[in-house]
Amino acid sequence: MTSSHERQKKPHVLIVGGGFAGIQCARELATADVDITLVDRHNYHLFQPLLYQVATAVLSPADIAAPIRRMLRDQANTRVVLAKLEKIDLQVRRAYFPNAVIDYDFLVLATGVTHSYFGHDDWRHLAPGLKTVDDALDIRRRVLTAYEAAEWEADQQARQAKLTFVVVGGGPTGVELAGALSEIALKTIPKDFRNIDTKTARVILIEAGPRLLAALPEKLGNQALKDLTQMGVEVRLNNQVTDIQPGAIKIADETLPVENVIWAAGVRGARYVEHLGIELDRQGRIKVRADLSLPGHKNAFAIGDLACVTDPKTGQPVPGVAPAAIQMGQFVARKIKAETAGKKDSGQTFCYHDKGGMATIGRNRAVASIAGFNFCGFPAWLVWSLVHIIPLIGFRSKLTVIFNWIWNYFSLSKSARLITGKPPMKVKEALSVIRSDDKAESGR
Amino acid sequence: MTSSHERQKKPHVLIVGGGFAGIQCARELATADVDITLVDRHNYHLFQPLLYQVATAVLSPADIAAPIRRMLRDQANTRVVLAKLEKIDLQVRRAYFPNAVIDYDFLVLATGVTHSYFGHDDWRHLAPGLKTVDDALDIRRRVLTAYEAAEWEADQQARQAKLTFVVVGGGPTGVELAGALSEIALKTIPKDFRNIDTKTARVILIEAGPRLLAALPEKLGNQALKDLTQMGVEVRLNNQVTDIQPGAIKIADETLPVENVIWAAGVRGARYVEHLGIELDRQGRIKVRADLSLPGHKNAFAIGDLACVTDPKTGQPVPGVAPAAIQMGQFVARKIKAETAGKKDSGQTFCYHDKGGMATIGRNRAVASIAGFNFCGFPAWLVWSLVHIIPLIGFRSKLTVIFNWIWNYFSLSKSARLITGKPPMKVKEALSVIRSDDKAESGR
C-alpha cells in the first residue's frame, strides 16, 4: 500500500500458481526490474512427486511442503497473495479474485491441472484423486478407516469389499500408490488386527492402455508390471472403468464389490481456463504457441502442466512432469526479462530437455530411464530416492524425509498412520458379536 | 469373531479412552488373565503436552501421535476398537456405541475432558480450544490465515484486530501458546510480509485468577509473568472474559477488537458422563471413591482427567496432568489384576506421587518445579525438553521431534506452516489497492 512509489514505473508480472513452474519463474525474475505478484490458493509450495507418501502414511504434509512466503521472503520485488483465481480478462489485462482484481503487464498462468473424471463428475466423491495435501489426507483417512471397518464387519463379502483397493490409472502415481497400498497390507499392519488377516486385502491397478508407465520405455513398464504382480497387486491392462457406484466399480462388463477407489487416471485444466477464449486441447489444457505465450496475447503465458505444447525436437507433447514445469518457468522468466530490458527476442521456441523418468514401486523396487539408460530394482530405487530428496525445499524437510524413509525402510512401519479431519466411521452392526460371544459363552 | 473360545471364561475389561491413563491401564494388564477391549474415538494416542507445538506450526501431528493398534499390537489379550462412546448402563454392565453394544465385567472410563465455556457454548466456534489434533490444526489455520488477511487489509483498525491474538487461560497451555504466538510474530515471520509489520501483532493472555500457572509455586508463576512480558505478551491477571462476539472480545467492561481468540481456560467431562447417575463435580468430572471406583459400582472406574479425587496425603485435588493419569491407570490395572486373580484387596487408596510440574515459555525460557526445587530460564527449558522427549511413544517420533526442535531453535523458523483442511480465506476488498496503485501511478 505504501510501496506504490517504488512500483511506479516497473512492469507488473502476475504469476498465478506456486507449483514448480510458478516458483521457478518467480525466482528467475528475482533480479529483474519488475514487480512480481505470485498468487496461489494455498500458502505452501508442494513437492508433488512425494504426495503419494503422505496418502500412504509415510510422510507428514509438512515434510513435503514449504510456505511460499518463506521461499520468496528475500526476493524484494515479489509479493505473495493467498487467493483463488476466478477469472482472467486477457483484453484488459486483469485478473479477478474474490472481492479483488489485479492488473498486470505480464501474465504467467501456472495453475496446473486437477483430476478429470472424463465427464463422470459424480465419481469424484467415490474415487478421490491425489493432487493436494487435503486430497492426500483424505485418501489416507479412507484407507486406514477401511481396515478399521473391516475389522468389525461380520459379513464375509462386505468385509472383502472393504479390504479391496482399486487404483485407476497406470501412470507413475497409480503405480506408486498401488505398490504402497500393497506394502501396507502385507508388511505394515498384519499384526495390528485381531479379526481380519490384512494379507487378504486385494490391491487392483486398472489401466486403460496396453501397458503401465506409458511415458517410460516399454521395457520399464513391463518391469513395473512384473514387480507389482510379485508384490501381490492385480494389474489389469486394457481395462476401462465404465461405472463407479457406492461399494462397487464396473470394469468393462464386470462389477466388482469394492469400497475403496483412488483415481489416478485423468487430468484437466481448471474451469477458469475455459472462459479465456483460447483454444484448449482435449484435456482442457491451454494450447500455447512455441514460445509458451497464449495465441494473440504476447504478454500472457501458460507454463507447467497447464500448457499443451509440442517439443520441436521430438514432435512429442512435452510431458506434465516437474522438470518440464521448471524448464518452462525458466524459459518464460528469461523471455520477460529480455523484453522488459528492452531487448527484442523474436521467434524463440521452448525446447524440453528430457532428463528421463522414473517411478518407485516398493522397497528396493523402482524403474528408471535416465539419459537413455534403463534400469530397475535396487539401483533404480536408490537413484529415485536421491533424485527426490535433493530438490526438496528447505534443509528441514530434506532431513526429516530421509529420516522417515530410513525408519520406514528398516521398521516397515508407516509412522504417519493418523486418521484426522472428520469424525471417525461408525462401528458397524457386526460389533455386536462382542456381546453375543461374551454373553452366551461365559454364561453371564 | 473366532476367538470366542479363548475368551470363554476370562473376565472382560472394557477401557474407554486411549490417552495416558487408558493406555497405561491396558499395558499394565498385558499379562493378566483377562480379555481387554480398548475403545477410542481416534485411531491414535496423542502426546498432549506437545499439542500446542502442532498448533503453532513447529511439529506435525504424526510427530506426537502414534496409532493405538500399533502400540498394543503385541499384547495378545487386547483388541482395539475405533468408536465413540454414547452411553453406559452401569446396572447391566453394558456400553453403547453407534450400532453396537459391548458388555463388560470391568469398566475403566478414561475419556478425559473437553473444553468448557462456562455455559457460553456459543463461544466455541469463535474461540477454539486445544484438545485434539484437529483442534490444533484448526488453530494453526486460524493463526496463519490471520496474517494473510492482515497483509491485505487496508483499514488500520481492522488490520490491528486481525493482528491481535487473545489466549484465555493462564495455565500451562495458555502460557505456552502465548509464548509461541509471540515468537511467531517477532521472530519467525517478520520478513515474510510486505505490507504489515508482524512485530506490531499483539498477544494478550487473560487469566481470571491473580496469577499464572496456579498449579505451580507462586515464584514460578511470577517468573512466567516476567518472561512473557519481556517477550511482548500483554498479561492481564484478575480479568474475566464476559463476552465473545465475531471480531471482538469483552474483558470485564472493556471491549477489544480482536479476530483471534484461543480458549485454554476451562475443561469438563464428556456429555455421556451426565447420564451415568453418578455424582459429578462442578466441572462435570466423576467424583470417584478413594480407590478410583464409581460409588456403588466396585467394578467400574474413572481415571485420568475425568476422575475427581483428593490426594489423601495433601488433601488437595489430584491435578489433571499426564503423570497423575499414568499413575491412576497403573493403580486400577493392579486392582483388577488382584481381583481377577482371586486376591481380595480391600480399602485401597490411590495416592498421587507428585513429581512436580513445568511449563515452557519460549526459546531458552521455562519454569519448573521438581522434587521441591524451583528453577527457571535455560536450565528449566532444557529439563522441560528432556522430560517431554523421553516418554514420546516410538523411536521415530522422538528423533523427529528432537530434530525439529533443534532446527526450530537455531533457524527460528516454524517448519510446519501449512494452512490445510478448509478453503483459504477470501482476499478482502483491500486487495483492490493493487489495482488502483498500479493503474493510477504507472499511468496505464
Side-chain angles (χ1 to χ4, degrees):
Chain A
M1 342 225 140
T2 53
S3 58
S4 48
H5 278 293
E6 303 135 49
R7 283 209 305 275
Q8 214 158 340
K9 298 250 153 101
K10 292 186 186 173
H12 183 210
V13 181
L14 172 63
I15 302 174
V16 189
F20 287 109
I23 290 280
Q24 187 66 37
C25 185
R27 286 195 161 161
E28 198 78 21
L29 287 169
T31 56
D33 197 26
V34 296
D35 274 319
I36 304 168
T37 302
L38 190 147
V39 188
D40 196 287
R41 67 197 169 108
H42 294 122
N43 79 328
Y44 51 83
H45 167 77
L46 183 63
F47 192 80
Q48 211 147 5
L50 289 180
L51 191 58
Y52 83 96
Q53 298 209 347
V54 174
T56 51
V58 174
L59 298 177
S60 289
D63 296 337
I64 60 159
I68 295 173
R69 288 196 182 284
R70 175 90 188 180
M71 294 173 72
L72 300 173
R73 72 196 284 181
D74 297 324
Q75 197 165 317
N77 66 348
T78 305
R79 56 187 163 195
V80 175
V81 176
L82 176 69
K84 186 164 186 235
L85 179 63
E86 286 185 334
K87 200 177 84 178
I88 299 269
D89 187 334
L90 292 168
Q91 307 306 327
V92 300
R93 303 185 171 188
R94 183 171 286 179
Y96 293 82
F97 299 86
N99 302 326
V101 293
I102 300 183
D103 289 334
Y104 61 81
D105 299 300
F106 292 94
L107 173 70
V108 182
L109 295 175
T111 52
V113 287
T114 181
H115 328 294
S116 163
Y117 291 84
F118 308 127
H120 295 277
D121 273 353
D122 50 315
W123 295 355
R124 181 176 298 273
H125 69 284
L126 298 170
L130 182 63
K131 280 286 169 196
T132 68
V133 164
D134 290 314
D135 289 345
L137 294 177
D138 180 33
I139 290 175
R140 184 200 284 184
R141 178 168 44 231
R142 287 170 185 244
V143 170
L144 297 178
T145 306
Y147 285 102
E148 295 290 340
E151 172 83 345
W152 298 109
E153 178 61 67
D155 179 69
Q156 205 273 331
Q157 198 177 342
R159 190 163 66 240
Q160 189 58 54
K162 290 184 169 63
L163 291 178
T164 304
F165 300 86
V166 171
V167 179
V168 184
T173 301
V175 165
E176 289 169 341
L177 273 173
L181 288 173
S182 160
E183 278 192 345
I184 289 177
L186 297 180
K187 301 193 175 158
T188 309
I189 57 169
K191 282 196 208 154
D192 289 12
F193 291 86
R194 299 284 179 262
N195 297 333
I196 54 170
D197 178 0
T198 64
K199 293 181 183 172
T200 63
R202 287 173 76 186
V203 180
I204 304 172
L205 177 62
I206 298 173
E207 165 60 39
R211 67 189 194 82
L212 297 178
L213 302 175
L216 294 184
E218 185 162 2
K219 201 181 137 195
L220 296 183
N222 294 340
Q223 181 64 41
L225 172 63
K226 209 172 118 191
D227 279 345
L228 285 174
T229 308
Q230 270 180 14
M231 291 168 69
V233 176
E234 301 169 36
V235 181
R236 302 199 179 183
L237 301 174
N238 299 307
N239 266 276
Q240 207 138 16
V241 174
T242 47
D243 197 15
I244 306 180
Q245 297 285 337
I249 189 169
K250 200 167 168 192
I251 305 163
D253 289 334
E254 183 193 3
T255 298
L256 218 62
V258 43
E259 292 279 358
N260 318 283
V261 183
I262 304 177
W263 192 259
V267 296
R268 61 163 178 79
R271 289 279 174 234
Y272 79 87
V273 175
E274 294 166 14
H275 306 290
L276 286 175
I278 301 284
E279 192 186 353
L280 307 179
D281 75 349
R282 224 163 36 97
Q283 293 168 281
R285 298 177 309 167
I286 297 174
K287 284 189 168 179
V288 292
R289 294 190 303 188
D291 67 348
L292 305 183
S293 67
L294 271 49
H297 301 275
K298 276 183 65 177
N299 69 322
F301 304 87
I303 58 177
D305 289 359
L306 180 63
C308 166
V309 64
T310 302
D311 185 14
K313 278 183 307 183
T314 63
Q316 295 291 313
V318 176
V321 294
I326 291 169
Q327 291 172 28
M328 290 187 199
Q330 262 166 349
F331 178 88
V332 165
R334 285 176 192 159
K335 223 177 134 66
I336 293 173
K337 248 196 245 179
E339 195 160 323
T340 54
K343 297 173 195 158
K344 278 260 160 166
D345 86 322
S346 53
Q348 267 207 54
T349 299
F350 171 74
C351 289
Y352 171 50
H353 302 285
D354 187 357
K355 296 175 185 162
M358 50 184 66
T360 187
I361 296 157
R363 198 159 165 263
N364 297 348
R365 293 174 198 257
V367 295
S369 166
I370 295 174
F373 291 97
N374 299 336
F375 49 117
C376 59
F378 182 74
W381 183 82
L382 209 62
V383 169
W384 180 90
S385 302
L386 288 175
V387 164
H388 283 83
I389 202 72
I390 291 165
L392 262 193
I393 288 85
F395 184 75
R396 183 265 193 193
S397 299
K398 218 174 276 190
L399 286 198
T400 320
V401 171
I402 290 175
F403 175 73
N404 279 328
W405 283 355
I406 295 173
W407 180 242
N408 181 48
Y409 184 85
F410 286 107
S411 75
L412 293 174
S413 112
K414 314 281 182 202
S415 49
R417 264 168 53 203
L418 312 182
I419 301 175
T420 57
K422 275 182 197 168
M425 56 122 206
K426 294 188 175 178
V427 177
K428 296 292 174 211
E429 291 77 358
L431 189 48
S432 56
V433 294
I434 296 186
R435 177 191 48 177
S436 42
D437 279 11
D438 282 10
K439 267 298 184 213
E441 300 185 20
S442 60
R444 265 167 282 147
Chain B
M1 338 227 143
T2 52
S3 58
S4 48
H5 278 291
E6 304 135 50
R7 283 208 305 275
Q8 213 157 339
K9 298 249 150 102
K10 293 184 185 174
H12 184 211
V13 181
L14 172 63
I15 303 174
V16 189
F20 287 109
I23 289 280
Q24 187 66 37
C25 185
R27 286 195 163 161
E28 200 77 21
L29 286 169
T31 55
D33 198 26
V34 296
D35 274 318
I36 304 169
T37 302
L38 190 147
V39 188
D40 196 287
R41 66 199 169 108
H42 294 123
N43 78 326
Y44 51 82
H45 168 78
L46 183 63
F47 192 81
Q48 211 147 6
L50 289 181
L51 192 58
Y52 83 96
Q53 297 210 348
V54 174
T56 52
V58 174
L59 297 178
S60 289
D63 296 337
I64 61 159
I68 295 173
R69 286 194 183 285
R70 174 90 189 179
M71 294 173 73
L72 300 174
R73 71 194 285 181
D74 297 324
Q75 197 165 317
N77 66 348
T78 305
R79 56 189 163 194
V80 175
V81 176
L82 176 70
K84 188 166 184 229
L85 179 63
E86 285 184 337
K87 202 178 82 179
I88 299 268
D89 187 334
L90 292 169
Q91 307 308 327
V92 299
R93 304 184 172 187
R94 182 171 287 180
Y96 293 82
F97 299 86
N99 301 326
V101 293
I102 300 183
D103 290 335
Y104 59 81
D105 299 300
F106 293 94
L107 173 70
V108 182
L109 294 175
T111 53
V113 288
T114 181
H115 330 295
S116 163
Y117 291 86
F118 308 128
H120 294 278
D121 273 353
D122 50 316
W123 295 356
R124 180 177 299 272
H125 69 284
L126 299 169
L130 183 63
K131 279 286 168 197
T132 67
V133 163
D134 290 313
D135 288 345
L137 293 177
D138 182 33
I139 291 175
R140 184 201 285 182
R141 180 168 43 231
R142 286 170 187 246
V143 170
L144 297 177
T145 306
Y147 285 103
E148 296 289 340
E151 171 83 345
W152 298 110
E153 178 61 69
D155 179 68
Q156 204 274 331
Q157 198 178 340
R159 191 164 64 239
Q160 190 59 53
K162 289 186 168 63
L163 290 179
T164 304
F165 300 85
V166 171
V167 178
V168 184
T173 301
V175 165
E176 289 169 341
L177 272 173
L181 288 173
S182 160
E183 279 193 343
I184 289 177
L186 297 179
K187 300 192 175 157
T188 309
I189 57 169
K191 282 196 207 154
D192 289 12
F193 290 85
R194 299 285 178 260
N195 297 333
I196 54 170
D197 179 359
T198 63
K199 294 181 184 174
T200 63
R202 287 173 76 187
V203 179
I204 304 172
L205 178 62
I206 298 173
E207 165 60 39
R211 66 185 194 84
L212 298 177
L213 302 174
L216 294 184
E218 184 161 3
K219 199 180 138 195
L220 296 183
N222 295 340
Q223 180 64 41
L225 172 62
K226 210 172 117 189
D227 279 344
L228 284 175
T229 308
Q230 271 180 13
M231 291 167 68
V233 175
E234 302 169 36
V235 182
R236 302 198 180 183
L237 301 174
N238 298 308
N239 266 276
Q240 207 137 18
V241 174
T242 48
D243 196 16
I244 305 179
Q245 296 285 338
I249 190 169
K250 201 167 167 190
I251 305 163
D253 289 334
E254 183 193 3
T255 297
L256 217 64
V258 43
E259 291 279 357
N260 318 285
V261 183
I262 303 176
W263 192 260
V267 295
R268 62 163 179 80
R271 288 281 174 234
Y272 79 88
V273 175
E274 295 165 14
H275 306 290
L276 286 176
I278 301 285
E279 193 186 353
L280 307 179
D281 75 350
R282 224 162 37 93
Q283 292 169 280
R285 299 176 310 166
I286 297 173
K287 284 190 169 175
V288 292
R289 295 190 302 188
D291 68 349
L292 306 182
S293 68
L294 272 48
H297 301 276
K298 278 182 63 178
N299 68 323
F301 304 86
I303 59 176
D305 289 0
L306 179 63
C308 167
V309 64
T310 303
D311 185 13
K313 279 182 307 183
T314 63
Q316 296 290 312
V318 176
V321 294
I326 290 169
Q327 291 171 28
M328 290 187 199
Q330 263 165 349
F331 177 88
V332 165
R334 286 176 191 159
K335 225 177 132 63
I336 292 174
K337 248 196 247 179
E339 195 160 321
T340 53
K343 297 173 196 159
K344 276 258 162 168
D345 85 323
S346 52
Q348 267 206 55
T349 298
F350 172 75
C351 289
Y352 172 51
H353 302 284
D354 188 356
K355 297 174 185 162
M358 50 184 65
T360 186
I361 297 157
R363 200 160 165 264
N364 296 347
R365 292 175 199 258
V367 295
S369 168
I370 294 175
F373 292 97
N374 298 336
F375 50 116
C376 60
F378 182 75
W381 182 81
L382 210 61
V383 169
W384 180 92
S385 302
L386 287 176
V387 165
H388 283 83
I389 202 72
I390 290 166
L392 262 194
I393 287 85
F395 183 78
R396 185 263 192 192
S397 299
K398 217 173 275 191
L399 286 198
T400 319
V401 171
I402 291 176
F403 176 73
N404 279 328
W405 283 358
I406 294 173
W407 180 243
N408 181 47
Y409 183 86
F410 287 108
S411 74
L412 293 172
S413 114
K414 314 280 183 206
S415 49
R417 266 167 53 202
L418 313 182
I419 302 175
T420 57
K422 276 180 197 171
M425 54 123 206
K426 293 190 175 179
V427 177
K428 296 290 172 211
E429 292 77 355
L431 188 50
S432 58
V433 293
I434 296 185
R435 176 191 49 178
S436 42
D437 280 12
D438 282 10
K439 267 299 184 210
E441 300 184 21
S442 62
R444 262 166 286 144

